[in-house]
């Protein structure tokens, strides 16, 4: 009997996105492999590397001791560059693991979403250089310089408009859509008084409300999953092992249910 095509939609979430690695590890151990993967922001990075052939175990080892300075450096003229940081380090690091690849080179069909800030719309990236697309999907506005790909001259974080790209993976051909949202419902936080934190908090609150409405409206999502990450801050790199473990636990708990959907 032929199984239904399985699609994973891996959502945005900064450092909380390490939970995606744990989730994929649990899937691998239980013999469940997706036919399609779509990612947004950190979900795009994890999803792209996975589809390129990097195992969850290898990704786990790679991020274990990861620090912000390993993937980003300050722009000397942030106003001119339209972002506090540049992502050259991140690009170099990803290429060291999966090389320079086009979407057609991937082992599993993959797409990722970014936001075109000039057109004000979500963009599905499925052609050209995979690493560039992954980084465009994760370019947090104001923090990282917007990316340029083809006709799109100001691409930013996919999570702005589509935190969990369930529609994208459905359009790829998935019969069963499993969405993994590592951010979940926004939790109360203490004020810091810092401009950047206030801006990022604004994005989180707006994003959480938008995602909740989108989730409720989309009937084709077969399973919506949220790892229990508590108040983990997505902008800090202090609890990566915790995120991995919670993602793994979620995957183990849901593997039987996912299998039954197929």
């Amino acid at each position: 009997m032929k199984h239904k095509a399985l699609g994973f939609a891996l959502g945005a979430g900064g450092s909380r996105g390490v939970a995606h690695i744990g989730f994929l590890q649990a899937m691998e151990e239980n013999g469940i492999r997706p036919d399609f993967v779509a990612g947004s922001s950190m979900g795009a990075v994890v999803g792209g590397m996975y589809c390129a052939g990097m195992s969850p175990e290898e990704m786990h080892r790679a991020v274990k001791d990861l620090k912000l300075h390993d993937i980003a450096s300050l722009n000397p003229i942030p106003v001119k560059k339209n972002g506090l940081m540049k992502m050259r380090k991140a690009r170099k690091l990803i290429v060291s693991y999966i090389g320079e690849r086009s979407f057609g080179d991937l082992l599993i069909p993959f797409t990722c979403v970014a936001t075109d800030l000039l057109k004000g719309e979500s963009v599905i990236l499925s052609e050209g250089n995979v690493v560039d697309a992954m980084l465009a999907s994760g370019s947090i506005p104001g923090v990282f310089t917007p990316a340029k790909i083809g006709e799109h001259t100001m691409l930013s974080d996919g999570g702005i408009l589509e935190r969990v790209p369930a529609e994208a993976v459905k359009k790829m051909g998935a019969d069963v859509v499993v969405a993994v949202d590592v951010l979940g419902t926004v939790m109360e936080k203490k004020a810091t008084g810092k401009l950047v934190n206030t801006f990022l908090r604004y994005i989180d609150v707006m994003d959480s409300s938008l995602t909740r409405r989108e989730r409720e409206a989309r009937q084709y999502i077969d399973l919506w999953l949220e790892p229990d990450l508590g108040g983990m801050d997505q902008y800090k790199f202090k609890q990566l092992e915790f995120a991995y473990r919670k993602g793994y636990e979620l995957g183990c708990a849901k593997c039987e249910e996912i299998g039954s959907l197929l």
Side-chain angles (χ1 to χ4, degrees), residues 23 26-27 30 32 250-261:
F23 174 77
M27 294 296 101
N30 286 278
I32 299 173
L250 175 70
C252 290
K254 295 295 182 178
C255 64
E256 187 173 336
E257 186 174 356
I258 294 172
S260 68
L261 291 171

Side-chain angles (χ1 to χ4, degrees), residues 121-134:
E121 61 186 27
S122 183
V123 176
I124 295 177
L125 302 174
S126 59
E127 296 180 348
N129 188 285
V130 175
V131 178
D132 290 340
M134 290 158 58

Side-chain angles (χ1 to χ4, degrees), residues 11-23 180-185 187 225-234 239-250:
S15 62
R16 290 169 68 105
V18 171
H20 291 310
I21 302 175
F23 174 77
V180 185
D181 180 15
V182 297
L183 287 176
T185 303
M187 300 180 69
L225 303 177
E226 296 179 8
D228 183 13
L229 297 175
M232 179 181 175
D233 191 332
Q234 67 164 316
Q239 295 179 283
L240 302 185
E241 188 62 27
F242 166 76
Y244 172 85
R245 187 173 71 251
K246 288 299 182 180
Y248 179 78
E249 290 173 0
L250 175 70

